[in-house]
Amino acid sequence: MSDVAIEILSDHRCHLGEGPSYDGRTDTAWWFDILERKLFEARIADRSVRVHDLPSMGSVLAPIDDARQLVATADGLLVRDIVNGRMELHTALESYNAGTRSNDGRVHPAGALWIGTMGRKAEEGVGSIYWFRDGELRRLYSDITIPNGICFSPDGRTGYFTDTHVGLLHRVPLDPDTGLPIGQPSVLYDHRGGEGGLDGAVVDADGRIWSARWGASSIDVYSPEGDRIRTIRVPATRPSCPAFVGADLDRLLVTTAQEGMSEAERLADPQSGKTLLLDVHARGIPDPRVRITAP
């Protein structure tokens, strides 16, 4: 395990920090405290941070255009006005089941959002992973407990995902023009029996997968061939998801959480829930915009 320079971007202690993304046009990072219904907005250049209240639990944000964002929430996929924060439902997501919420997700280079759902109490097997683009929603995978690790190779030809409950990091061949699977998933890395759980992930410009390991105070890096090639120590027990940020996409923002911790555990883990910036000597790829209407 290696050590890198680490900075606290936000000392707000999130209950469940998750879903970081970065808008290079405005040099703004976004992330959520899912359980407390908060959306964080941070200017990376000056480290200023704003907190927005949400009407329901949100977990993923994707830019639509210069004025709007798509936010995945427990109420469905909502369009958010960046200036005034107003949100309107665009597409329902499991509206028939009040016991589920959105979780991990990311936008494919073709403008398709992959978004996972899960039980509000992480009930086994009630979650799914969906594909969404141009108003169309398709279920890709079901019988998932905690969908995580959704990310894509730079060329859009490979998708990655995991079920934290199971501990297998999967890869699947994709149509680069649509982000839809064109084959069956296979196991890239078997973490069953390992310390902690596979959580959120992001891919860098060289195609390596950077994966937060919940419960193990670490970020792991995997090669596209499935080798764990690096492990970085972080000063919080429950890192949840990474994202590359900054003008050169060369800093790694990592959200963390306090979910499931006792008072004694929180006192023993003073950085838990804070949002971190790591110098990792790697470079990410820009977050694509999501397509909500056909071109």
Side-chain angles (χ1 to χ4, degrees):
M1 186 177 291
S2 63
D3 293 303
V4 301
I6 296 177
E7 175 187 346
I8 304 297
L9 174 60
S10 171
D11 60 7
H12 182 108
R13 298 186 75 178
C14 292
H15 191 170
L16 179 54
E18 262 288 9
S21 62
Y22 177 70
D23 184 348
R25 182 184 63 86
T26 59
D27 187 38
T28 306
W30 302 85
W31 69 94
F32 297 85
D33 185 337
I34 294 178
L35 298 180
E36 300 301 328
R37 303 183 181 188
K38 304 292 185 184
L39 172 64
F40 292 80
E41 174 186 1
R43 308 292 185 192
I44 298 301
D46 63 12
R47 306 299 195 261
S48 61
V49 179
R50 297 176 62 194
V51 185
H52 307 274
D53 292 323
L54 296 176
S56 62
M57 290 185 287
S59 63
V60 174
L61 178 148
I64 299 169
D65 51 36
D66 289 353
R68 301 175 298 162
Q69 302 159 323
L70 189 69
V71 181
T73 76
D75 293 336
L77 303 178
L78 278 64
V79 174
R80 178 179 185 270
D81 186 289
I82 296 175
V83 173
N84 60 33
R86 185 180 301 116
M87 301 175 71
E88 295 183 357
L89 179 66
H90 184 278
T91 300
L93 182 66
E94 296 188 355
S95 56
Y96 57 86
N97 189 348
T100 61
R101 64 166 176 84
S102 65
N103 198 52
D104 188 70
R106 204 170 286 279
V107 179
H108 181 271
L113 172 69
W114 279 37
I115 180 66
T117 63
M118 61 177 286
R120 295 188 185 221
K121 297 182 179 179
E123 295 89 345
E124 187 170 350
V126 305
S128 297
I129 294 176
Y130 294 85
W131 172 98
F132 168 82
R133 192 175 75 166
D134 295 334
E136 181 182 358
L137 185 71
R138 300 187 192 182
R139 179 186 276 117
L140 301 179
Y141 307 108
S142 57
D143 194 29
I144 291 175
T145 302
I146 307 176
N148 265 313
I150 295 172
C151 55
F152 308 99
S153 62
D155 63 6
R157 296 182 181 276
T158 306
Y160 304 98
F161 67 93
T162 188
D163 182 341
T164 302
H165 178 69
V166 176
L168 298 175
L169 178 60
H170 293 281
R171 64 180 163 194
V172 60
L174 305 178
D175 179 345
D177 294 326
T178 65
L180 285 166
I182 54 175
Q184 294 301 311
S186 60
V187 175
L188 181 70
Y189 189 86
D190 188 340
H191 184 67
R192 290 175 297 182
E195 181 185 6
L198 302 175
D199 209 307
V202 68
V203 172
D204 68 16
D206 294 316
R208 297 169 297 196
I209 304 104
W210 296 68
S211 174
R213 189 151 34 117
W214 178 279
S217 305
S218 59
I219 301 292
D220 298 310
V221 186
Y222 300 93
S223 72
E225 294 72 39
D227 298 314
R228 183 180 285 175
I229 56 178
R230 187 179 180 189
T231 295
I232 300 168
R233 190 189 326 271
V234 296
T237 305
R238 289 164 169 78
S240 52
C241 194
F244 285 96
V245 303
D248 296 320
L249 293 171
D250 59 352
R251 307 291 302 280
L252 194 71
L253 185 155
V254 177
T255 52
T256 72
Q258 296 183 314
E259 185 186 20
M261 298 176 71
S262 67
E263 180 63 25
E265 288 173 326
R266 289 194 293 270
L267 290 173
D269 191 358
Q271 308 303 334
S272 63
K274 297 182 180 181
T275 304
L276 314 173
L277 282 179
L278 280 61
D279 286 327
V280 293
H281 304 292
R283 182 164 295 185
I285 52 179
D287 287 334
R289 293 182 170 187
V290 63
R291 282 175 36 178
I292 66 169
T293 56

